[in-house]
Amino acid sequence: MKARFVRVMSVAAAAWLVAACQTVQTTGAGAVGVDRSQMMMVSAAEVEQASGKQYQQVIAEARQKGVLNRDSAQLARVRAVSNRLIPQSVVFRRDAAQWHWEVNVIQSDELNAWCMAGGKMAVYSGLIDQLKLTDDELAAVMGHEIAHALREHSREQISKAMVTSVGASVAGALLGVGELGTDLMSMVGKVTFELPNSRLHETEADRIGVELAARAGYDPRAAISLWDKMSSRSNGGPPQWLSTHPGHDTRRKDLADYAQRVMPLYEQARR
């Protein structure tokens, strides 16, 4: 009887999970044609609020350690690039114009950059210094990370994790073990700093990123040289933080194809 009851309740829980999810279209397709709909279990406002808190915590810790915006010239350069990229985000979603964007540089040897929900962004100095990035390549990095925020990939990852967590918690409660509990801020931190993006997410961010760069007047083909530099850091493979990204040849070809597709936008922006 108990096994049957658990099965019935598990089916009911699964039905509730499906009902709790909503299908959303986070961005317009743009010239690159990214138009996949996404299933979300948590609201954009909740993720933005949690991201804002997580971001302020990271920035406060960096400031306390003396590694926040240490190089004023580098900070000015990063913000100059972002100031050209950010206005182009409205091509994909109009509400991005109302986001409270923040862009900072953290002194670190890590080859890393990220953009949380709502436009909370950081670039690590090691990425710029060690790879000797040109402005076009820096725009490729930042456009890619902005694309993740526009597509709300963190919200999507959190939603998938919540489905798994809720399902396990319901089953555990029925069997007398475990209980439901979700710390959204902690989950934001985890998907930003620990969990790699899926290959699908990376491909979407690559394609939207080259369009953002092109519209801002940066050569979209720099995404290819950027990827080559990143790959060379690990003997032909990507750095650890890119470990689940698409394979080198596949990604390079896709970047080249989509960079070529948006070249007219770049040429128009350069006039």
Side-chain angles (χ1 to χ4, degrees):
M1 282 294 291
K2 184 174 182 179
R4 182 184 175 189
F5 176 72
V6 168
R7 285 197 300 271
V8 170
M9 292 304 294
S10 295
V11 170
W16 177 84
L17 287 172
V18 171
C21 288
Q22 57 175 317
T23 302
V24 300
Q25 192 74 28
T26 57
T27 61
V32 293
V34 175
D35 59 359
R36 176 180 64 90
S37 60
Q38 297 154 278
M39 295 293 292
M40 305 295 194
M41 264 197 76
V42 60
S43 73
E46 288 173 312
V47 174
E48 282 186 32
Q49 183 179 33
S51 295
K53 291 179 180 178
Q54 180 69 49
Y55 185 77
Q56 292 309 317
Q57 180 175 308
V58 171
I59 294 304
E61 289 175 357
R63 183 180 291 111
Q64 185 177 19
K65 293 176 181 177
V67 296
L68 180 68
N69 300 329
R70 286 181 57 181
D71 185 329
S72 59
Q74 190 174 73
L75 175 63
R77 183 184 174 207
V78 167
R79 287 182 173 172
V81 172
S82 69
N83 286 341
R84 286 170 59 177
L85 289 170
I86 290 169
Q88 308 308 318
S89 63
V90 297
V91 171
F92 292 96
R93 52 185 302 164
R94 292 186 180 277
D95 66 324
Q98 279 73 55
W99 286 2
H100 299 295
W101 293 85
E102 293 185 51
V103 182
N104 289 287
V105 177
I106 295 175
Q107 193 77 20
S108 170
D109 290 336
E110 283 188 60
L111 305 183
N112 204 0
W114 41 264
C115 186
M116 292 182 180
K120 308 301 185 187
M121 191 170 190
V123 178
Y124 290 25
S125 61
L127 187 66
I128 301 170
D129 296 336
Q130 294 184 44
L131 299 186
K132 302 186 186 310
L133 297 185
T134 65
D135 282 357
D136 291 320
E137 290 168 341
L138 182 55
V141 170
M142 298 178 72
H144 176 94
E145 298 306 326
I146 288 170
H148 279 307
L150 296 175
R151 286 292 291 162
E152 298 188 56
H153 285 152
S154 290
R155 180 183 171 200
E156 189 174 15
Q157 281 186 291
I158 289 168
S159 295
K160 289 180 179 178
M162 287 179 71
V163 169
T164 302
S165 176
V166 171
S169 297
V170 169
L174 291 170
L175 294 171
V177 295
E179 57 185 44
L180 179 60
T182 303
D183 184 340
L184 191 55
M185 185 174 163
S186 174
M187 293 178 78
V188 166
K190 191 165 187 176
V191 299
T192 301
F193 306 118
E194 298 177 28
L195 299 179
N197 285 290
S198 70
R199 295 186 178 189
L200 175 59
H201 286 178
E202 290 307 322
T203 298
E204 290 181 345
D206 275 350
R207 294 175 182 179
I208 290 176
V210 295
E211 182 168 342
L212 288 172
R215 288 183 180 277
Y218 293 105
D219 191 336
R221 295 168 296 190
I224 304 166
S225 59
L226 168 68
W227 178 241
D228 286 341
K229 286 182 178 181
M230 287 180 168
S231 296
S232 69
R233 299 292 296 187
S234 294
N235 298 319
Q240 185 175 0
W241 68 286
L242 299 174
S243 61
T244 63
H245 287 207
H248 176 75
D249 293 339
T250 299
R251 187 174 192 184
R252 198 179 191 283
K253 182 180 184 305
D254 195 71
L255 283 169
D257 288 347
Y258 279 82
Q260 193 59 44
R261 184 178 297 194
V262 299
M263 280 301 291
L265 297 174
Y266 169 59
E267 291 162 0
Q268 182 178 359
R270 296 284 291 173
R271 289 175 191 164

